[in-house]
Amino acid sequence: SEPVLIESDAAVQTIPLNQGWSWISLNVTAFDLSLNTLLNDISPSNGDFIKSQTAFSQYHESTGWKGSLRTFETGKSYQIYSQNNANMRNAGTPIDVQTTTIPVESGWNWIGYFHQEILDINDALATMPASAGDRIKSQTEFAEYVSTTGTWEGSLDKLMPGQGYLLKSNTGGDLEYPELAKTGSLHAFSEKPEWSVDA
C-alpha cells in the first residue's frame, strides 16, 4: 500500500581493450579488484601483459596472471597489452570525487580519471597546482600547462572515463577532480555523445 523506490548506487564500468596496448583506469571501486577477477572475462592469451608505474604481471594459461602486480587501485593508471579486442567490466560503486584525491609526486605519475563523464581538461585539472612545463598525456594525445594563460594546451583537451594518463609535475601536490555542477557549468559530455567526429 506504500510503495518504496529502491535505487542502487552500483555501476558497471566497461573499458574497451584494443588489440595491442590500452591505457586504462577505474572509476568504479569494488570489494575485489584483483587482476584474476577483473580480467577474467577478457579471455586473455599467453603473453598478455599489464603494468602499472611500479609493477607488472603476465598471463599464462597454466598459471594465470603472475607477477608483482596483483590488484588494481583506483587513482592509478595501467597499460595492458592484449592480443585480442575485449571488453573489461568492473561492477561496483562509482568513486566519490568529493572525498577522493590523487597524490601527485614531482616527476611522472600514472594517474586515473574518476568521473563517469567526459570533462574538459582545464576543468578536470583546475585544482592541480600546475607550473610551466607540466605535461599530461594519454595514449595518443598530450597537453602542456602554459603559465602565462593558466591553461592546458595541446591535442589532449578532454579527459575520458576508463582511460589512463601520465602526468609530469614539477612540484607535486594533490589532484582533486571537481564535482560536476548540477547547473552544468562545467563542460561535461556523456560517454557516448549523439554527435560524431569526421577526422
Side-chain angles (χ1 to χ4, degrees):
S1 62
E2 296 180 12
V4 175
L5 179 62
I6 300 174
E7 294 184 23
S8 171
D9 60 356
V12 177
Q13 179 185 18
T14 302
I15 303 173
L17 301 178
N18 303 316
Q19 182 180 17
W21 287 100
S22 300
W23 292 18
I24 66 169
S25 68
L26 304 180
N27 62 16
V28 170
T29 186
F31 177 74
D32 184 0
L33 293 177
S34 67
L35 263 62
N36 286 325
T37 298
L38 292 188
L39 299 178
N40 186 48
D41 292 337
I42 69 168
S43 300
S45 302
N46 284 336
D48 283 2
F49 192 85
I50 184 168
K51 59 183 178 176
S52 68
Q53 189 169 2
T54 58
F56 76 93
S57 281
Q58 190 166 22
Y59 181 81
H60 192 275
E61 61 185 13
S62 63
T63 58
W65 291 96
K66 293 295 180 187
S68 54
L69 179 59
R70 295 192 174 101
T71 61
F72 286 94
E73 292 181 51
T74 58
K76 297 187 176 182
S77 69
Y78 299 88
Q79 297 177 8
I80 183 167
Y81 178 82
S82 175
Q83 296 178 55
N84 302 297
N85 292 323
N87 285 316
M88 176 181 157
R89 289 183 177 81
N90 178 27
T93 306
I95 295 170
D96 185 353
V97 296
Q98 288 184 289
T99 61
T100 311
T101 60
I102 299 175
V104 174
E105 304 290 335
S106 177
W108 285 103
N109 299 266
W110 291 33
I111 64 167
Y113 178 62
F114 291 157
H115 272 293
Q116 308 293 316
E117 300 84 11
I118 299 169
L119 199 59
D120 181 89
I121 190 170
N122 288 296
D123 292 329
L125 301 181
T127 66
M128 178 66 203
S131 60
D134 284 3
R135 291 185 200 99
I136 185 170
K137 54 184 179 175
S138 68
Q139 189 171 359
T140 58
E141 299 173 309
F142 82 98
E144 186 167 326
Y145 185 76
V146 180
S147 58
T148 54
T149 61
T151 58
W152 294 86
E153 303 292 337
S155 56
L156 177 59
D157 59 358
K158 306 258 186 299
L159 296 191
M160 310 278 288
Q163 290 193 2
Y165 298 93
L166 273 57
L167 173 67
K168 182 178 183 289
S169 172
N170 291 315
T171 58
D174 285 331
L175 171 60
E176 182 178 339
Y177 291 117
E179 182 183 13
L180 291 180
K182 293 188 180 355
T183 59
S185 60
L186 295 180
H187 306 291
F189 302 88
S190 66
E191 191 169 350
K192 296 182 179 177
E194 295 178 0
W195 39 265
S196 61
V197 175
D198 182 354

